[in-house]
Amino acid sequence: MRIPCHLAIIMDGNGRWAEKRRLPRILGHRRGVETVQEIVRECRALGVRYLTLYAFSSENWRRPEDEVSALMGLLGNYLRSELTSMLEQGIRLKVIGETTRLPGEVRQVLEETVARTAGNREMTLTLALSYGARNELVRTARRLAEAALAGRLAPEAIDDQTFTEALDTAELPDPDLLVRTSGEMRISNFLLWQLAYTELYFTDVLWPDFSRQELHQALLEFGRRQRRFGLTGAQVEESH
Ligand code: IPE
Ligand code: IPE
Ligand code: MG
C-alpha cells in the first residue's frame, strides 16, 4: 500500500449519523471522537507522518449554541484523555486555525498538550480548530504586510515559499491525499492553498462509520492515482 506522507481528512457526517437513529446530534459527535481515536492509531501504525483533521470550522461557530458548547466539551475531554496515548505512540500535536476564539479552558489544555508532545517524532497530528482557509490566508497576508511595513520584508521577496512558511501550516508538507466522508463533494474552506495538487477522495460513509477498512480503501485508491503535477504521463513514468 502506498502511504501518503500527509493525509488530511474532512470528518463529516456525525450529525446525520445520529439523526438517522433519531438520536441527538451530539451523540454522533461522541461516536465521531471514537473514530478519531481509531484512525489516529491506524495512521500512526501505517507510517503516515502527518495527519491533519478538520474538527471545527470558522463557519461552525454559527451552529446552535448548545451544539457548539457540546463540541467544545468533547474536544477538551478528548485532549485530556489522549495525552498518555499520544506520548506512548510518539505523536506530536499541532493546531491550526484562529485558536484565540476557542474557550479559555480548551485553549489551555491544547497549549499543554502541544507543549508536552513537542518532542515526539513518529507522527504529527494537526487539529484544524476554528479553522477556515480564507481566514488563514487573510491572517497570513496581514502578517506579511506588517513585516513589509516594518521594513523586515521586501514585497518583491514574497514568493510561494515565503507565503507557505507564513501560513498556520508552516512546518507541514502539502497534503498528498484528502479524504472527505459523508458524500459531500466540496472543500468547505479547508486548506485552500495547501490542496493545490492534493489527490481528492470522497466516500459516502459517515464519519462515525469510517473504519480502518474504509481508510485502507482510500489508501488503495490513492495508490492507483498517477500524480502528474502538470507534466505528461510519460515524463512522470520516466522519472520513476
Ligand atoms: C462533522 O459532522 C463534524 C463537525 C462539523 C463539527 P457534522 O456535524 O457536520 O455532521 P452532518 O454534516 O450534519 O451530518
Ligand atoms: C466541514 O464540515 C467542517 C468539518 C468537518 C469540521 P461542515 O459540515 O461544516 O461543511 P458543510 O457546511 O457541509 O460544507
Ligand atoms: Mg457536516
Side-chain angles (χ1 to χ4, degrees), residues 26-37:
I26 188 63
L27 288 187
H29 295 309
R30 208 170 281 167
R31 283 295 293 262
V33 173
E34 290 172 25
T35 306
V36 169
Q37 288 163 328

Side-chain angles (χ1 to χ4, degrees), residues 48-233:
V48 171
R49 307 295 305 182
Y50 299 90
L51 174 65
T52 300
L53 302 177
Y54 202 6
F56 192 85
S57 76
S58 36
E59 288 73 29
N60 290 150
W61 288 114
R62 290 165 35 217
R63 291 195 178 189
E65 211 180 293
D66 57 343
E67 182 166 342
V68 171
S69 61
L71 278 166
M72 292 300 141
L74 274 180
L75 177 62
N77 289 344
Y78 166 77
L79 291 166
R80 276 183 284 273
S81 74
E82 282 318 91
L83 179 63
T84 318
S85 135
M86 284 185 199
L87 293 172
E88 273 167 15
Q89 295 182 79
I91 295 174
R92 174 173 74 126
L93 184 76
K94 191 182 151 66
V95 188
I96 57 172
E98 202 175 23
T99 48
T100 48
R101 290 183 73 182
L102 296 168
E105 48 203 275
V106 171
R107 273 163 72 184
Q108 198 184 334
V109 56
L110 269 174
E111 274 166 31
E112 272 169 34
T113 314
V114 168
R116 302 253 330 246
T117 61
N120 290 346
R121 289 288 171 268
E122 292 304 318
M123 183 173 88
T124 299
L125 169 64
T126 303
L127 296 182
L129 292 172
S130 186
Y131 177 87
R134 288 187 174 178
N135 171 272
E136 177 190 34
L137 291 167
V138 167
R139 284 186 286 107
T140 301
R142 212 173 271 169
R143 268 201 296 275
L144 293 174
E146 278 162 6
L149 207 58
R152 285 181 276 115
L153 177 70
E156 59 274 17
I158 300 177
D159 56 13
D160 270 28
Q161 197 190 339
T162 333
F163 211 87
T164 297
E165 287 169 2
L167 291 164
D168 291 356
T169 50
E171 320 129 54
L172 309 178
D174 287 344
D176 300 291
L177 174 65
L178 172 77
V179 169
R180 182 174 188 147
T181 57
S182 91
E184 309 300 349
M185 300 210 200
R186 54 178 173 258
I187 301 297
S188 301
N189 204 12
F190 193 38
L191 302 176
L192 294 179
W193 169 278
Q194 298 87 340
L195 293 174
Y197 268 104
T198 301
E199 295 298 324
L200 308 180
Y201 178 88
F202 298 98
T203 168
D204 287 339
V205 174
L206 302 174
W207 179 250
D209 292 328
F210 191 77
S211 59
R212 288 165 52 204
Q213 289 71 28
E214 305 289 345
L215 174 67
H216 295 170
Q217 291 286 320
L219 297 181
L220 285 174
E221 167 63 22
F222 173 68
R224 289 193 284 268
R225 305 270 179 95
Q226 185 190 46
R227 304 185 72 191
R228 287 194 284 275
F229 300 97
L231 303 182
T232 67

